[in-house]
Amino acid sequence: MAIVYDLNRPDPLAAPCDAETCKPPLIKILTSHEFSQLPNISLEGREGLAALEPAEANFVELYPSFIIGSFAVPDKTDPTSDPDRLAFYLENDHLIIIDDGNIAQELLKKIKASGMLTKPTTSHALYAFMKTLIADDFTWFSVMEDAMEALEETMLTDNGEVSVQTIMSYRRAAMRMGSYYQQIAVMADLIADNENKVMTREEAHAFAHVVTHANHLADRADMLREYSLQLYELHQTQIDLKQNSTMQILTIVTVMFAPLTLVTGWFGMNLTVLPGLDWPYMAFTIIGLALIMIVVMVVFFKKKNWL
């Protein structure tokens, strides 16, 4: 069911207005089906939104008397999953938000709570909507950064097992969010140019704040992406160190048993005459020499800190 807000009222987002008594300018939240039934939408606008609807991207397109666009809002709990999709149709008297879920309604509640909607125009309402989309995302980045630092601490101090998939999930999340903010910045920049003069110069200039904010968030996403690559390199370094340690142990064991291998090879030869075989103390002598060589090698390895 369509939800309509009258921007002329003192507190326009306090509650929806009656469709029969509402007067423009209006904010309307419609489903895709409800939007398709509207009679006063240009064919260009319908076709443009129909093309944008299935796309999982943030995009805006300017027409002589209106603006259309789409949002693909990532789920902050799992940015790599399918985003929530919204679309909008903006003209002087109407801001129509096309949403088959409840994202738009939740965003309008946040706009009301923040008091950001200070002008009764559809252009300012779109500005408030776009700014609210990314308003709290620095907090999300702080939480993500804390989780990555805890992961690094685990690898450095606790010698905990950390999977490559965990590290790569942070990288994919940072890349997805970075792309999202870059697209938002491009959208806001195109609207701020105001080539079709749908809004006043002051209203268009406000979108420059969205551009700046989105670019800062994109830079933060790039930093976390680089951080995730550092975590991956640290993980690979630790794997290499473990492999080197294993090879070192195998090498030491091999060297320590080399004297015994020599003795068994010497006395295992199929010869009828071998000097010393008839000496009664030969076996004890050989065993003693082998043990002495092993002890000498152990002392040597300890001095080299190889054990």
Side-chain angles (χ1 to χ4, degrees):
M1 181 177 178
I3 303 174
V4 185
Y5 296 93
D6 186 346
L7 293 176
N8 287 307
R9 295 190 302 176
D11 192 359
L13 301 180
C17 63
D18 186 351
E20 296 181 357
T21 59
C22 289
K23 296 180 180 179
L26 302 172
I27 299 176
K28 295 182 179 179
I29 302 177
L30 308 178
T31 64
S32 301
H33 176 71
E34 289 171 339
F35 179 77
S36 66
Q37 305 300 313
L38 291 180
N40 298 322
I41 303 298
S42 70
L43 180 61
E44 286 182 317
R46 291 187 188 279
E47 291 178 347
L49 284 172
L52 292 177
E53 186 176 359
E56 294 184 357
N58 303 275
F59 188 76
V60 67
E61 192 165 351
L62 280 65
Y63 291 87
S65 60
F66 61 89
I67 301 173
I68 63 172
S70 66
F71 298 107
V73 185
D75 182 359
K76 299 299 190 304
T77 59
D78 183 12
T80 59
S81 62
D82 293 336
D84 296 311
R85 289 178 293 183
L86 308 170
F88 70 88
Y89 179 95
L90 172 72
E91 55 185 7
N92 286 331
D93 293 336
H94 294 82
L95 171 60
I96 301 173
I97 302 172
I98 304 157
D99 181 15
D100 292 324
N102 62 351
I103 300 297
Q105 192 67 22
E106 293 299 321
L107 284 170
L108 290 182
K109 289 180 181 179
K110 290 182 180 180
I111 293 173
K112 179 185 181 306
S114 66
M116 193 182 303
L117 190 62
T118 57
K119 298 178 181 179
T121 65
T122 56
S123 299
H124 184 70
L126 178 62
Y127 159 75
F129 191 86
M130 292 183 66
K131 192 168 184 179
T132 304
L133 270 177
I134 58 177
D136 301 327
D137 288 8
F138 274 116
T139 302
W140 179 83
F141 275 117
S142 297
V143 173
M144 185 176 178
E145 187 172 339
D146 290 342
M148 294 173 71
E149 289 177 352
L151 195 68
E152 182 181 24
E153 191 72 16
T154 298
M155 288 191 288
L156 289 175
T157 60
D158 301 335
N159 294 322
E161 292 295 330
V162 177
S163 66
V164 176
Q165 289 77 8
T166 301
I167 299 174
M168 288 297 99
S169 67
Y170 287 114
R171 182 173 181 270
R172 287 191 294 269
M175 290 178 63
R176 177 68 66 87
M177 297 302 293
S179 176
Y180 168 64
Y181 296 126
Q182 288 172 357
Q183 292 173 9
I184 291 291
V186 171
M187 287 181 67
D189 194 32
L190 288 173
I191 296 173
D193 287 341
N194 196 25
E195 292 181 0
N196 55 1
K197 309 301 179 185
V198 168
M199 59 190 74
T200 65
R201 179 180 299 179
E202 182 182 1
E203 290 172 339
H205 182 70
F207 284 88
H209 299 294
V210 179
V211 176
T212 302
H213 193 180
N215 282 330
H216 286 325
L217 288 167
D219 292 341
R220 186 72 178 274
D222 286 340
M223 290 174 59
L224 289 186
R225 183 178 61 84
E226 292 295 330
Y227 189 16
S228 68
L229 291 177
Q230 294 175 11
L231 291 179
Y232 176 76
E233 292 173 357
L234 175 61
H235 183 266
Q236 291 301 114
T237 300
Q238 289 195 321
I239 291 177
D240 293 339
L241 290 175
K242 289 179 180 179
Q243 290 177 343
N244 291 339
S245 178
T246 302
M247 293 302 298
Q248 183 179 359
I249 293 172
L250 291 175
T251 302
I252 291 172
V253 171
T254 302
V255 172
M256 289 176 66
F257 281 91
L260 297 178
T261 303
L262 177 62
V263 171
T264 56
W266 177 261
F267 289 97
M269 291 187 294
N270 189 16
L271 298 175
T272 57
V273 178
L274 191 64
L277 284 178
D278 54 349
W279 187 39
Y281 302 105
M282 176 59 72
F284 297 104
T285 302
I286 295 300
I287 293 173
L289 289 173
L291 291 175
I292 291 172
M293 292 179 67
I294 291 173
V295 171
V296 170
M297 283 187 288
V298 169
V299 173
F300 176 76
F301 290 150
K302 283 189 175 180
K303 286 185 177 180
K304 293 291 186 179
N305 292 324
W306 294 350
L307 290 177

